[in-house]
Amino acid sequence: MERKTVMMTGWAFTMLIILGLVGPPITRAQLEVLDENQAPGRTMAQQATKERQIWITADHSRHEVLQQEFSSGPEVTKACLSCHELAAGQFHKTIHWTWLDPNVPPGERIGKAGHSINNFCININGNEPRCTSCHAGYGWRDSSFNFNDEAAVDCLVCHEQTGTYKKFPTAAGHPVQKPTVFKGNKKTYNPPDWNRVAQSVGRPTRNNCGTCHFYGGGGDGVKHGDMDSSLTKPNKMLDVHMGMDGQNFDCVRCHTTTLHNIAGRTYATPAATHRKSLIEDDLASKIMCESCHSSTPHKPGVKANDHTDKVACQSCHIPQYARVNPTKMFWDWSTAGQKKDGKPFAQKGPHGKPIYDTKKGDFRWEKDVQPAYFWFNGSISAITARDIIDPSQVVDINWPVGSRNDPNARIFPFKVHEGRQPYDKINKNLLIPKLFGKKGTGAYWAEYDWKKALEKGMQAAGLTFSGEYDFVDTRYVFPITHMVAPKENVVTCIECHSPEGRLASLAGFYMPGRDSFKTINIIGWVLVLGTLVGVTFHGLGRAITRGRKED
């Protein structure tokens, strides 16, 4: 669509400021700062996070119930519940347990355990033993899993602090009982020292959260561009909040928790519906930048304060993502199945990452990626495997909700992951393949038969398949909120306020420096020339008058 905007050039806007026609308002809500060299948003954040001591009232290594002999995760969970008797019931109500959006009726099946779909690992239906190695539970192998079983909750994956507790990649959330090599990565997985890991439990750290979230989608940096293993022990150049030489925040510092519900966006439900600071509501979660930094974080009079009602903090403070490790930007399932000498193979490319795998197809990885920008009010809409698509064009699997006229929307940075994946040529919907399993189960990774894999996957999801398939190009977006750069490395004004800048694709609003408006330009030139003429005549007049006085 052709962009229709009314713009003026940067110099014309500057002239209007000089003339007093427009200007940056200074609000009384801005904080008084004792240190005039420090922005109020920084001062407020220091106040909000100044107490770093974590109060601990129990030493789990001294609990008799944790000194018994354990042989499995569920046995440890039962011991945990003997004291924390409400914990499993609370956790059962969260999205981390159900993998379904708790804010919509269960029958809609919105979530990765339902009919929601993506363009990386696609969907878990029929693939549970592999996918649920990242589930905080034990034994989710198929649709018969008992979600009401309290002993099936895995307390350790979120709370153990030894760093030695590992789930086996294909064991439906269970660790191994004896040393076992996983063929996929050729690593040896050892059984946990159950007493040691059980007695080590504490508040979740980056290691706990990152076990799943850094490796989502099938590997390190596959899914999120701003979350990967580099955040396990980052420096503040990578993230000013989590940097070990800076604030050294754990994830739960911002993703605060109530009854095991962790603050954050869940599909179409925003992470927060307000932008209150902790001064306005000290019981609010710290999930929003404004929570600790306020809506006017810069010094009084700084123009950046006037951007916060339309531009998200992340847009300026995260200039690139994937700044240490690469992230996957493209995944083409249509090329999967190729073999060398009759055997599956993988080929590595730039960054030491695979660019082809017989099981999964072609990939493209990138580093230091500049985000894409969209209006975003915190909600993301998406299609499911039930929805009809138009295969003649690129299919947006999900997309940010928001517009220029939405008071809750801000210009926000995103990773856009592109893919090519199977769809039903007759029913016109995206398809779910069964990827994982043994020969004879129809699993694609065992038999390399797309038709059979799609039949089994759709059957597992309770959906129909016409038997005819092809591949379609898709897009999937991820909000970028981590890897916040130091203030010295933020996006500069000219990177956006220029014709070919970061926001060149956003239309429908006025932006100095990016676009021009002929009438305003003419007015600007008239003002400039008029000013020069006036100054010239004034100077001549003063000179003539001064000469007469001297005579």
Side-chain angles (χ1 to χ4, degrees):
M1 178 182 293
E2 182 180 357
R3 186 171 66 207
K4 296 181 179 179
T5 53
V6 177
M7 298 292 180
M8 65 178 76
T9 58
W11 63 263
F13 184 73
T14 302
M15 286 301 303
L16 291 179
I17 291 178
I18 293 172
L19 296 173
L21 299 179
V22 297
I26 301 176
T27 67
R28 297 180 179 178
Q30 291 170 327
L31 300 175
E32 289 290 332
V33 184
L34 295 179
D35 181 359
E36 62 181 11
N37 294 318
Q38 180 164 280
R42 184 176 178 85
T43 300
M44 182 174 170
Q46 289 171 342
Q47 284 291 106
T49 60
K50 68 178 181 179
E51 183 57 69
R52 296 189 180 186
Q53 183 176 359
I54 298 175
W55 291 93
I56 298 173
T57 59
D59 180 355
H60 287 80
S61 68
R62 298 169 63 181
H63 289 2
E64 184 176 349
V65 70
L66 297 180
Q67 295 172 6
Q68 62 181 296
E69 184 175 342
F70 298 110
S71 61
S72 70
E75 290 181 3
V76 175
T77 298
K78 290 178 181 178
C80 296
L81 295 176
S82 66
C83 290
H84 302 278
E85 66 275 4
L86 300 179
Q90 294 171 358
F91 191 64
H92 280 178
K93 298 175 183 177
T94 71
I95 193 171
H96 277 81
W97 176 252
T98 65
W99 283 8
L100 291 172
D101 188 345
N103 301 299
V104 300
E108 293 188 20
R109 306 295 293 166
I110 303 299
K112 54 189 171 185
H115 295 153
S116 294
I117 206 162
N118 57 56
N119 63 359
F120 36 101
C121 49
I122 302 183
N123 187 276
I124 79 163
N125 283 282
N127 306 297
E128 288 88 350
R130 181 67 181 92
C131 299
T132 57
S133 60
C134 264
H135 183 242
Y138 300 113
W140 187 354
R141 295 186 179 278
D142 51 38
S143 59
S144 67
F145 179 64
N146 183 6
F147 284 91
N148 295 316
D149 184 1
E150 293 193 340
V153 173
D154 184 353
C155 306
L156 297 174
V157 71
C158 295
H159 292 284
E160 77 89 21
Q161 300 303 315
T162 68
T164 63
Y165 178 79
K166 307 291 182 184
K167 292 168 171 278
F168 193 70
T170 60
H174 285 285
V176 294
Q177 297 294 324
K178 60 182 180 180
T180 306
V181 176
F182 176 53
K183 294 180 181 179
N185 58 19
K186 297 181 174 57
K187 291 183 180 180
T188 299
Y189 288 76
N190 295 305
D193 180 339
W194 291 110
N195 291 101
R196 182 183 174 212
V197 296
Q199 294 171 20
S200 75
V201 294
R203 286 164 53 94
T205 64
R206 290 194 301 272
N207 283 325
N208 296 110
C209 302
T211 296
C212 291
H213 290 283
F214 294 167
Y215 299 89
D220 190 5
V222 169
K223 186 176 178 181
H224 300 281
D226 61 338
M227 282 195 288
D228 57 42
S229 63
S230 66
L231 290 180
T232 304
K233 295 181 178 180
N235 58 30
K236 64 182 180 182
M237 290 299 293
L238 178 59
D239 191 288
V240 295
H241 299 114
M242 290 188 273
M244 297 182 70
D245 54 344
Q247 298 299 319
N248 198 22
F249 283 1
D250 284 317
C251 306
V252 294
R253 188 59 135 154
C254 298
H255 292 272
T256 50
T257 305
T258 303
L259 302 177
H260 283 87
N261 278 291
I262 301 171
R265 180 186 59 84
T266 55
Y267 297 96
T269 303
T273 56
H274 56 76
R275 294 178 179 273
K276 292 182 179 179
S277 71
L278 294 176
I279 289 179
E280 298 170 280
D281 183 358
D282 62 346
L283 297 180
S285 69
K286 298 178 181 179
I287 196 65
M288 306 296 285
C289 299
E290 292 91 338
S291 301
C292 292
H293 294 285
S294 82
S295 60
T296 52
H298 303 276
K299 296 178 183 179
V302 173
K303 188 62 182 174
N305 279 334
D306 297 329
H307 286 61
T308 59
D309 63 333
K310 293 298 180 184
V311 181
C313 304
Q314 294 90 331
S315 292
C316 295
H317 289 272
I318 308 177
Q320 297 90 22
Y321 57 88
R323 298 207 297 272
V324 174
N325 296 339
T327 187
K328 189 175 287 186
M329 298 296 292
F330 175 72
W331 187 331
D332 185 357
W333 281 98
S334 71
T335 60
Q338 301 174 26
K339 299 181 180 180
K340 282 187 177 180
D341 301 323
K343 296 181 180 179
F345 74 99
Q347 178 184 351
K348 287 189 176 182
H351 314 300
K353 293 290 189 176
I355 57 174
Y356 182 79
D357 188 313
T358 298
K359 288 185 173 183
K360 301 178 179 180
D362 283 295
F363 313 122
R364 186 180 75 248
W365 299 79
E366 295 180 19
K367 282 185 65 175
D368 295 311
V369 186
Q370 179 176 298
Y373 298 91
F374 303 101
W375 288 103
F376 181 49
N377 64 13
S379 177
I380 291 183
S381 291
I383 62 173
T384 69
R386 304 186 304 268
D387 294 311
I388 294 175
I389 65 168
D390 180 0
S392 68
Q393 59 185 6
V394 178
V395 175
D396 287 307
I397 297 179
N398 71 347
W399 57 94
V401 177
S403 70
R404 171 74 173 80
N405 299 319
D406 184 343
N408 293 319
R410 305 289 187 275
I411 296 172
F412 206 94
F414 284 83
K415 169 185 172 178
V416 180
H417 182 268
E418 298 175 323
R420 187 171 295 124
Q421 62 198 96
Y423 79 97
D424 192 312
K425 292 177 66 175
I426 305 300
N427 296 325
K428 299 292 191 297
N429 59 292
L430 295 176
L431 294 170
I432 298 170
K434 178 176 176 58
L435 301 169
F436 175 78
K438 298 179 180 179
K439 283 188 176 181
T441 65
Y444 183 77
W445 291 344
E447 303 177 29
Y448 296 104
D449 184 329
W450 271 118
K451 183 176 181 179
K452 191 180 295 185
L454 294 169
E455 286 175 349
K456 294 296 183 180
M458 293 297 279
Q459 181 181 344
L463 299 173
T464 59
F465 172 45
S466 71
E468 295 188 35
Y469 70 93
D470 203 344
F471 293 85
V472 64
D473 292 329
T474 59
R475 283 187 294 246
Y476 196 96
V477 300
F478 299 93
I480 298 296
T481 61
H482 307 89
M483 298 188 179
V484 178
K487 62 181 181 180
E488 297 80 12
N489 297 337
V490 300
V491 175
T492 60
C493 301
I494 195 64
E495 290 183 66
C496 294
H497 292 271
S498 60
E500 302 301 324
R502 291 173 178 252
L503 305 184
S505 63
L506 288 180
F509 64 98
Y510 162 80
M511 189 172 178
R514 186 187 69 173
D515 303 286
S516 62
F517 183 53
K518 188 175 180 179
T519 302
I520 296 297
N521 287 345
I522 292 173
I523 293 174
W525 277 115
V526 170
L527 291 173
V528 170
L529 292 174
T531 301
L532 290 174
V533 170
V535 169
T536 300
F537 277 105
H538 177 73
L540 289 173
R542 291 290 300 271
I544 293 171
T545 303
R546 183 178 180 181
R548 290 177 178 176
K549 287 182 177 180
E550 290 177 352
D551 291 341

